[in-house]
Amino acid sequence: MTHRHISLSLVALSLMLGVSSLRAQDLTLPLALTTPADTSASVSVSPVEPKKTVSFDLTSIDKTADPCTDFFQYSCGNWVKNNPIPSDQPRWGAFNQINERNRYLLYTELERAAKPSASRTALQQKYGDFFAACMDQDLANRNGIKPLEPALEAIAGLHDKKQIAELVGTLESKYADLALFNFGVSQDQKDSTKQIAQAFQGGTSLPDRDYYIGKTERFEKIRSQYLEHVTKMFELAGDSHEKAEAEAKNVMTIESALAEGQTPRVELRNPEARYHIQALSAFEQATPNFDWPTYLQLIGIGKFDSLNVATPKFFTDMNTVIDREPIEVFKSYFRWRTIHNAAPALSDDFVNENFNFYGKTLNGQPEIQARWKRCTAQTDGILGEAVGQDWVKENFPPKSKADMLKLVNNLEAALAEDIKQLDWMSDATKVEAEKKLSLIRNKIGYPDQWRDYSSLVVKRDDPVGNFARGEVFENKRELAKLGKPVDEKEWGMTPPTVNAYYASSFNDINFPAGILQPPFFDPNIDPAVNYGGIGVVIGHEITHGFDDQGSKFDGLGNFREWQTAADRKAFNERTDCEVKEYGNFESVPGAKLNGKLTLGENTADNGGIRIAYIALLKALAEDHTPATTEKAGYTEAQRFFIGFGQVWCENRSEEYSRNAVLTDPHSPGRFRVNGTVQNFDEFGKAFHCKKGQPMYPETSCRVW
């Protein structure tokens, strides 16, 4: 079971704010990387309600640090010291703290719904039974690998490579197992009113192509550990050690070849690099070893004559691999994908081995998460707009939505003011930028119209089947969009999610209810802290519409150059400054950030803090409050920056940090804080820094 079909216009752009952002190349990552699997049967963990997070926590501040030298250490130093990473996490920060509380509140809702009762609504019965089935650990252990037998039998029946397309279509349409590639429906980049078919690379099980082709000692060690892991999983499925070893080598052969053909994720940041419209007939001719008509019929997509082949080299390479490798090698690969995708929902032996590699080895997470945590996250993932309806009734008052809309309007007004003041942008381009800004849609809290789950079958005694049917349900829902009008009100995140995102093809910003709480947003605290928290988050998402990717789409969500050639050149010079600056930050020894991979998020951070500060000064002026007014020993301006800094307090395991450098478009919290304030002179002024100090340098980077 893998991540479902997701619109490339949303996913590949990596525009979400938080730590759990989905990316197109991550569609084939195992569930355990985002929702760690079961505890073993011998471990009993009782849910405990987490404490509420707070805004502007004076106890988190390290007053022995100089804010002008290292503002992250100043605003977060004591927090870092007093908040070690919990044993069931690879990273710990404000996002995680809120997520743990949201998950607990959602768990209490699911626990109530899981108890059979005549008073349950149809939706409560559906998500309650889903949760109850997931929580039945004894059932999972009794079943073992049995739930996978139909899929494994289909794979065993593969005797001719001409049948590969039929098998792939069967695995996807019946069991939600995505193999070899990702196929779905997305908005046309050049006509956002159209929804078209698209083919995208996939088929690998490690976090990035570099894990397969990298020549460093670390990558070689991980590949060796991966082979051991795959071997153990085959042994758990019933293979002898010798056969399991041979099959693991077959898996590595196929996945390494697929990885070679994948486009690096940095290149995919360029919209042009992932937009290649082809006639379906031409695509079929370029990949004759894969029976596309049979595959397309099996997955149930409608008729189309052309599609976006987002990563053409991948598919021509895949065609070569199909021709070159023996059928038995492919059978091993398909067996692996089926076992691997389902592992987090199987019996304890599979669950624990899956975690040992993906959780412990790759991310440095010492212990597996409790079953109730995984099942809560899984239920939210499959039935998010069902459980979300009841969750927002209890946890998101209407006033919070009204307050948030007011803040968004203030931030958009601030960006309009900022655009007018830009010295590098011509008047003609400013008109286009202002036009795009005026067309941004604001979606706050939850959808206006909830998703219909009535056709999704949930069985209280079939946890693996429930998850697979949920994924198939979502796949079909996405495929059914082909040729239909775009639903501009659709959401890509569930209400309890602690995150936010901007989508270029929709030209909208989306803030789930889950993030609208301290330290991001607190209705009982002064505006300076809220503008430094959720205000910067809002500014961050708005700025994504004008970063190195978003700026290539117009206000209608179409891929179109709206800057003059001279302005684009000036824009690129400014983003190049950020690439160099952040590329010199070292996450852990020997692992510098990739300034190109993180460029969009860094641009959004730097633009977000600037326009949030503009909005704050306007709000203070309307209230006749100078920015130098003190409260609890800090001026309004200083409270703004501390409120911003404390959003990003965090600790990370070394393994997680090294993985993130390769795969995460977000900079670590330390550099989201220090990199941003050192580019904003108002910070240096607020803390009376001397020009030339690290956080108040002589020269700095600025785009917006």
Side-chain angles (χ1 to χ4, degrees):
M1 295 168 287
T2 62
H3 294 291
R4 58 188 66 114
H5 291 297
I6 303 178
S7 170
L8 201 63
S9 63
L10 171 63
V11 178
L13 299 186
S14 303
L15 295 181
M16 298 180 226
L17 171 75
V19 297
S20 60
S21 300
L22 291 172
R23 292 169 294 277
Q25 278 187 287
D26 288 344
L27 291 178
T28 55
L29 289 182
L31 181 65
L33 280 183
T34 51
T35 54
D38 275 336
T39 54
S40 65
S42 61
V43 178
S44 177
V45 180
S46 299
V48 177
E49 181 173 357
K51 294 180 180 179
K52 288 185 177 181
T53 49
V54 298
S55 295
F56 202 82
D57 183 4
L58 290 171
T59 66
S60 293
I61 297 172
D62 177 6
K63 292 190 176 182
T64 68
D66 181 359
C68 301
T69 300
D70 185 345
F71 186 58
F72 178 84
Q73 180 62 30
Y74 180 81
S75 57
C76 293
N78 283 345
W79 187 99
V80 169
K81 182 174 64 175
N82 297 325
N83 288 272
I85 305 171
S87 59
D88 67 346
Q89 306 280 342
R91 170 200 183 272
W92 190 244
F95 277 93
N96 307 86
Q97 288 179 308
I98 301 173
N99 183 63
E100 287 295 285
R101 179 165 176 79
N102 285 2
R103 179 154 52 183
Y104 174 82
L105 295 173
L106 187 58
Y107 159 76
T108 61
E109 176 186 328
L110 296 175
E111 269 284 278
R112 290 193 300 268
K115 297 174 182 176
S117 168
S119 63
R120 289 193 300 177
T121 66
L123 273 182
Q124 288 169 343
Q125 178 176 342
K126 185 155 290 189
Y127 66 69
D129 286 353
F130 186 99
F131 179 74
C134 183
M135 288 293 290
D136 194 340
Q137 186 170 3
D138 290 339
L139 174 62
N141 285 332
R142 288 197 304 272
N143 286 343
I145 200 171
K146 186 177 179 180
L148 304 188
E149 287 178 356
L152 295 175
E153 287 174 5
I155 294 166
L158 181 67
H159 300 298
D160 188 324
K161 283 191 281 188
K162 292 179 181 178
Q163 299 174 307
I164 284 178
E166 180 180 358
L167 177 63
V168 172
T170 298
L171 293 175
E172 183 174 331
S173 61
K174 289 186 176 182
Y175 313 111
D177 286 339
L178 305 185
L180 291 179
F181 56 84
N182 293 286
F183 197 94
V185 172
S186 182
Q187 288 171 272
D188 188 326
Q189 281 191 179
K190 293 189 176 181
D191 184 352
S192 63
T193 65
K194 293 182 179 179
Q195 302 195 84
I196 61 173
Q198 64 177 3
F200 191 80
Q201 65 193 30
T204 49
S205 309
L206 288 173
D208 187 81
R209 68 191 296 270
D210 284 355
Y211 282 78
Y212 294 93
I213 64 178
K215 305 302 182 184
T216 67
E217 182 179 342
R218 176 173 177 264
F219 285 136
E220 290 175 356
K221 181 179 179 181
I222 288 175
R223 285 195 289 270
S224 176
Q225 292 169 317
Y226 179 58
L227 276 171
E228 292 175 6
H229 164 64
V230 178
T231 299
K232 289 177 182 176
M233 293 291 272
F234 276 128
E235 288 177 338
L236 292 175
D239 291 355
S240 66
H241 179 70
E242 292 72 20
K243 182 181 179 184
E245 279 190 323
E247 293 214 272
K249 290 178 182 177
N250 289 343
V251 170
M252 185 63 88
T253 295
I254 297 295
E255 291 193 350
S256 297
L258 294 177
E260 287 277 2
Q262 290 176 350
T263 302
R265 64 180 66 221
V266 170
E267 291 183 29
L268 289 172
R269 289 185 51 74
N270 182 358
E272 292 174 284
R274 57 177 190 263
Y275 187 73
H276 309 280
I277 300 297
Q278 289 187 17
L280 177 58
S281 57
F283 183 48
E284 291 173 344
Q285 289 173 7
T287 52
N289 294 321
F290 191 84
D291 183 357
W292 288 103
T294 295
Y295 166 79
L296 295 173
Q297 181 182 14
L298 282 167
I299 66 172
I301 193 170
K303 189 179 185 307
F304 60 92
D305 297 319
S306 62
L307 74 162
N308 176 30
V309 183
T311 51
K313 180 181 183 300
F314 173 84
F315 287 96
T316 54
D317 281 14
M318 182 190 80
N319 185 72
T320 300
V321 174
I322 292 174
D323 180 62
R324 182 180 67 222
E325 299 300 335
I327 191 69
E328 292 303 317
V329 174
F330 275 100
K331 290 173 77 170
S332 296
Y333 167 75
F334 290 126
R335 285 191 75 217
W336 162 244
R337 294 292 293 175
T338 295
I339 296 166
H340 161 74
N341 291 334
L346 296 176
S347 52
D348 285 336
D349 46 3
F350 285 98
V351 166
N352 292 329
E353 173 55 35
N354 183 70
F355 170 78
N356 285 339
F357 179 74
Y358 285 100
K360 191 176 294 184
T361 299
L362 285 186
N363 281 300
Q365 182 175 320
E367 294 181 6
I368 212 159
Q369 286 194 343
R371 189 177 193 90
W372 72 266
K373 290 186 177 184
R374 182 189 68 82
C375 290
T376 298
Q378 189 182 108
T379 309
D380 182 48
I382 296 296
L383 289 153
E385 289 193 21
V387 299
Q389 295 180 44
D390 291 329
W391 191 87
V392 296
K393 290 176 185 176
E394 295 188 28
N395 300 288
F396 189 63
K399 186 179 184 301
S400 293
K401 185 168 186 173
D403 289 345
M404 185 67 177
L405 282 169
K406 182 178 179 181
L407 282 168
V408 170
N409 291 334
N410 291 347
L411 267 292
E412 289 176 343
L415 179 55
E417 182 180 330
D418 182 59
I419 290 171
K420 288 183 174 67
Q421 297 172 355
L422 290 175
D423 59 4
W424 60 268
M425 183 177 281
S426 68
D427 289 342
T429 299
K430 285 181 180 179
V431 169
E432 289 292 325
E434 290 165 351
K435 181 180 178 182
K436 176 170 184 176
L437 176 61
S438 71
L439 292 172
I440 289 179
R441 302 184 190 93
N442 304 318
K443 296 193 292 197
I444 311 297
Y446 51 86
D448 293 333
Q449 183 174 347
W450 297 104
R451 196 162 294 171
D452 179 7
Y453 294 97
S454 57
S455 64
L456 174 59
V457 175
V458 172
K459 299 179 180 180
R460 201 174 175 93
D461 61 351
D462 187 13
V464 176
N466 287 340
F467 191 88
R469 285 188 292 273
E471 292 287 87
V472 169
F473 168 84
E474 182 62 15
N475 291 347
K476 289 181 177 178
R477 192 186 71 83
E478 289 288 336
L479 294 173
K481 294 178 179 179
L482 182 68
K484 293 182 180 178
V486 173
D487 180 4
E488 297 171 349
K489 296 184 177 181
E490 184 177 13
W491 280 66
M493 289 182 177
T494 68
T497 302
V498 186
N499 216 323
Y501 69 95
Y502 168 84
S504 292
S505 292
F506 282 87
N507 191 28
D508 66 11
I509 53 176
N510 304 257
F511 298 92
I515 196 174
L516 303 180
Q517 54 187 298
F520 296 97
F521 175 69
D522 185 345
N524 300 313
I525 208 162
D526 53 301
V529 177
N530 276 336
Y531 274 98
I534 199 65
V536 176
V537 172
I538 296 167
H540 172 107
E541 298 307 335
I542 296 172
T543 304
H544 267 314
F546 302 89
D547 67 13
D548 63 306
Q549 296 183 96
S551 65
K552 295 177 181 178
F553 292 79
D554 63 21
L556 298 177
N558 295 319
F559 177 56
R560 178 178 70 84
E561 179 60 272
W562 47 267
Q563 297 192 33
T564 66
D567 288 339
R568 177 58 69 180
K569 181 174 182 293
F571 177 89
N572 289 340
E573 289 172 353
R574 283 156 177 76
T575 56
D576 285 347
C577 177
E578 290 183 341
V579 169
K580 294 174 183 176
E581 176 188 19
Y582 283 82
N584 283 318
F585 293 146
E586 192 172 55
S587 179
V588 289
K592 287 187 175 181
L593 304 188
N594 185 328
K596 291 183 178 179
L597 177 63
T598 59
L599 176 58
E601 300 299 332
N602 298 335
T603 301
D605 282 343
N606 282 272
I609 198 170
R610 186 176 296 274
I611 63 175
Y613 193 73
I614 293 172
L616 170 64
L617 293 182
K618 184 177 181 180
L620 291 174
E622 291 174 353
D623 196 37
H624 305 290
T625 303
T628 54
T629 302
E630 285 197 12
K631 184 179 294 184
Y634 293 95
T635 66
E636 295 282 5
Q638 290 171 338
R639 289 174 69 83
F640 169 86
F641 288 110
I642 293 173
F644 160 70
Q646 291 189 344
V647 162
W648 300 110
C649 297
E650 68 168 4
N651 282 304
R652 296 178 171 212
S653 72
E654 180 175 342
E655 295 86 350
Y656 180 92
S657 294
R658 293 189 183 281
N659 186 22
V661 163
L662 291 168
T663 62
D664 193 348
H666 307 86
S667 297
R670 176 176 296 277
F671 304 116
R672 296 191 79 161
V673 174
N674 288 350
T676 301
V677 300
Q678 73 184 40
N679 287 328
F680 190 30
D681 282 355
E682 295 305 317
F683 170 82
K685 296 173 184 176
F687 282 90
H688 311 293
C689 303
K690 295 178 181 179
K691 200 68 174 174
Q693 286 187 280
M695 300 293 100
Y696 194 27
E698 295 287 350
T699 59
S700 58
C701 301
R702 179 185 175 183
V703 183
W704 297 99

